[in-house]
């Protein structure tokens, strides 16, 4: 996943112009470690899969967008053909709001936040 993302990012950057920008949004899940510690690694894995599905759902509707798990509780989203920083910021805020939605994991309601940059 990481290798594929980096190859796609390299290709997108090679095609980037002043009118065709590329943005990379880094996402680190806040409060993920306690999920593993309290509910176990299986619950943590289920949460990561739910987060990944949400990211994929959001990026499927954005032309040239790509999401990938980069490691642990870190994800990257690449946006191609971005009009400017404001468009990337707006998309990042939508990501954050979506990630804040509670998840039902092993019968427990789990809410997490994300640091996004």
């Amino acid at each position: 996943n990481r290798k594929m993302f980096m190859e796609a990012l390299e290709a997108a950057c090679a095609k980037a112009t002043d009118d065709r920008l590329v943005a990379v949004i880094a996402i680190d899940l806040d409060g993920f470690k306690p999920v593993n510690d309290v509910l176990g690694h299986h619950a943590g894995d289920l949460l990561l899969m739910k987060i990944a599905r949400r990211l994929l759902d959001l990026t499927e509707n954005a032309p040239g967008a790509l999401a990938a798990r980069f490691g642990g509780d870190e994800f990257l989203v690449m946006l191609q053909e971005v009009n400017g920083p404001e468009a990337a910021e707006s998309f990042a805020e939508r990501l954050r709001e979506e990630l804040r939605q509670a998840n039902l994991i092993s019968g427990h309601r789990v809410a997490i936040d994300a640091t996004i940059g």
Side-chain angles (χ1 to χ4, degrees):
N1 211 359
R2 183 183 310 166
K3 183 180 179 202
M4 178 263 317
F5 184 90
M6 294 307 291
E7 289 171 355
L9 178 60
E10 241 180 81
C13 287
K15 295 176 186 175
T17 66
D18 290 342
D19 297 330
R20 186 176 174 174
L21 303 175
V22 175
V24 175
I25 300 170
I27 303 162
D28 183 65
L29 303 180
D30 299 334
F32 178 73
K33 186 176 180 326
V35 173
N36 273 342
D37 292 346
V38 174
L39 299 177
H41 290 281
H42 178 69
D45 290 345
L46 291 173
L47 179 59
L48 288 174
M49 286 187 281
K50 285 190 175 213
I51 296 298
R53 170 73 351 222
R54 286 184 178 172
L55 292 175
L56 289 173
D57 288 346
L58 285 168
T59 56
E60 281 178 350
N61 297 324
L66 179 65
R69 182 170 172 219
F70 216 64
D73 63 347
E74 299 167 348
F75 294 85
L76 293 178
V77 173
M78 175 180 58
L79 303 174
Q80 297 181 57
E81 301 179 26
V82 177
N83 294 332
E86 298 81 17
E89 186 177 334
S90 175
F91 192 85
E93 190 54 41
R94 284 198 339 243
L95 287 173
R96 186 171 196 192
E97 289 304 315
E98 183 63 31
L99 294 176
R100 282 183 174 163
Q101 302 300 315
N103 299 277
L104 189 60
I105 305 291
S106 299
H108 294 79
R109 187 183 146 122
V110 177
I112 60 167
D113 202 350
T115 301
I116 297 179

